[in-house]
Amino acid sequence: MDDDKRRDEGMTQRRKVLGNEWVDKSIANRNAFNTDFQDLITRYAWGDIWTRPHFDHRTRRVLVIGTMVALGQWDEFRLHVRAALTEGGFSPDDIKEILLQQAIYCGVPAANHAVKEASAIVAELGLLER
């Protein structure tokens, strides 16, 4: 795949996973400093990795959310939890199960923070049950 096709495929995947609103906002915030990075992640993360046929999007989302917990990358964690709930067909219970699994493999402090962050998103989206 050439770079133009990879960029186009990447943008399609990026929109499918994160939603048009997020991607449009990201594009609107491009500048001389971050444009090359945005192009890089569109072509490679989204165009090369998210288009691979082995794992479906649901599996990739689980992997990304779990990895962000493990790495403590809370901005990306919130982005992908929100996208999973709004674009990916995930339920709050799906997110909860990922975090319970991560509590064992990443540690309770990381999972505790992840539960706090995810709970805020679930509540903001009106999906929190009492």
Side-chain angles (χ1 to χ4, degrees):
M1 187 174 353
D2 69 13
D3 275 349
D4 289 335
K5 180 151 178 63
R6 187 178 291 115
R7 186 178 298 106
D8 291 344
E9 290 289 322
M11 188 57 72
T12 299
Q13 293 304 310
R14 194 172 172 194
R15 288 184 178 284
K16 185 175 182 181
V17 172
L18 300 178
N20 287 325
E21 183 179 341
W22 176 265
V23 175
D24 290 344
K25 184 175 104 178
S26 179
I27 290 169
N29 289 327
R30 283 186 177 173
N31 58 46
F33 187 78
N34 68 19
T35 295
D36 290 339
F37 179 74
Q38 290 293 319
D39 185 58
L40 174 83
I41 63 172
T42 299
R43 286 181 293 122
Y44 291 102
W46 298 107
D48 272 346
I49 301 304
W50 279 81
T51 60
R52 294 180 62 80
H54 190 81
F55 290 125
D56 62 12
H57 277 187
R58 184 172 180 81
T59 302
R60 290 187 190 283
R61 287 178 189 275
V62 170
L63 288 166
V64 169
I65 291 168
T67 301
M68 294 306 99
V69 172
L71 296 174
Q73 295 297 317
W74 303 116
D75 288 342
E76 288 287 313
F77 173 81
R78 286 187 298 272
L79 168 65
H80 283 277
V81 166
R82 180 180 307 285
L85 292 166
T86 61
E87 306 292 332
F90 278 54
S91 70
D93 282 344
D94 294 327
I95 302 300
K96 178 176 68 176
E97 290 300 322
I98 296 168
L99 301 182
L100 288 169
Q101 181 82 14
Q102 294 308 94
I104 301 306
Y105 291 95
C106 300
V108 171
N112 186 49
H113 189 77
V115 167
K116 176 184 151 204
E117 296 289 346
S119 292
I121 294 166
V122 170
E124 180 184 316
L125 295 173
L127 302 173
L128 188 61
E129 294 180 15
R130 294 278 170 184

